Amino acid sequence: IRDRVLHELGYALHASGKHQEANKVLEKCLELNPREAIASIMLARSQFALGNKQQALEALQLTERLISDDAAPGIRGDIAWGYGLLGRPADARRAFDKVIRQAATRYVDPAVLAWSYMGIQDYQEAYKQLELAANDLSLIQDSYPAHFIRENSWSDPRLEQSDFLALRKRFDLKTLPNESSLKK
């Protein structure tokens, strides 16, 4: 439970722009539990927001080492998004391909697909997936991916452009599934 509290606190600090403090909390979480993949992906986002690209890359690589082959598509898509922003197209493609392989055998919600497409810089398909989700929020099975896109947790400059910005504003986070888990 301590790990969950720490990674949630780390994300809350990151989301409020307190990246240095977020890094300290997330690093402490990883110190206490070196296998905490959620903390490492959040650390990657926070490091990226500070412009610490090497540290962000190291945190992404750690995340990849920590997750199993059958890890949820959401974390793989998140990794793809991070690699794409760090200018690592082959790594982004590798993570993206794993999401697409999983999508062939299980449901992958459009918010996860959107950030996966962001990773390989297929912005047209990313937009299409986000629009699909915005038009039918019932397609979102887990609120975290939609929340991270709405709040632009990777500080992705493409999401700040007018077309994506308008679409992101259409996500009503109050109606997303599992929203109560975001407040814990």
Side-chain angles (χ1 to χ4, degrees):
I1 234 171
R2 179 176 48 185
D3 301 341
R4 178 145 173 102
V5 169
L6 286 175
H7 79 243
E8 292 287 347
L9 175 59
Y11 182 72
L13 289 165
H14 165 70
S16 64
K18 297 177 181 178
H19 306 297
Q20 294 289 359
E21 294 93 335
N23 289 349
K24 289 177 186 171
V25 169
L26 294 166
E27 287 167 355
K28 181 66 173 177
C29 182
L30 286 166
E31 180 185 310
L32 294 169
N33 182 358
R35 304 223 25 93
E36 181 58 56
I38 300 300
S40 64
I41 193 77
M42 289 184 185
L43 180 60
R45 290 186 203 119
S46 191
Q47 291 286 13
F48 183 80
L50 287 170
N52 300 333
K53 292 184 177 183
Q54 184 59 40
Q55 291 92 335
L57 176 60
E58 290 168 7
L60 275 178
Q61 291 168 333
L62 173 62
T63 305
E64 270 196 303
R65 288 192 305 271
L66 292 175
I67 61 174
S68 63
D69 286 340
D70 63 344
I75 197 162
R76 292 199 180 281
D78 206 358
I79 291 167
W81 192 10
Y83 277 138
L85 286 167
L86 289 167
R88 309 272 305 208
D91 293 325
R93 175 55 75 171
R94 184 183 68 251
F96 172 83
D97 288 345
K98 289 178 181 179
V99 172
I100 297 305
R101 278 194 300 275
Q102 287 179 313
T105 60
R106 67 188 275 192
Y107 181 77
V108 177
D109 99 30
V112 169
L113 289 171
W115 71 18
S116 301
Y117 281 107
M118 295 292 289
I120 62 166
Q121 299 179 353
D122 184 342
Y123 301 121
Q124 184 176 6
E125 188 61 32
Y127 187 89
K128 180 180 164 187
Q129 293 297 322
L130 282 179
E131 189 170 46
L132 184 66
N135 288 340
D136 184 357
L137 293 177
S138 71
L139 296 174
I140 298 172
Q141 291 187 340
D142 183 350
S143 62
Y144 280 100
H147 176 78
F148 293 154
I149 288 172
R150 175 167 168 112
E151 302 307 317
N152 195 5
S153 71
W154 269 104
S155 306
D156 188 331
R158 184 64 178 95
L159 286 179
E160 297 304 324
Q161 293 181 3
S162 61
D163 56 345
F164 276 96
L165 195 57
L167 187 56
R168 286 172 42 220
K169 288 180 181 177
R170 289 179 47 203
F171 284 93
D172 180 1
L173 297 179
K174 293 179 204 129
T175 63
L176 291 175
N178 301 325
E179 187 61 27
S180 62
S181 67
L182 291 175
K183 293 178 173 66
K184 289 183 182 175

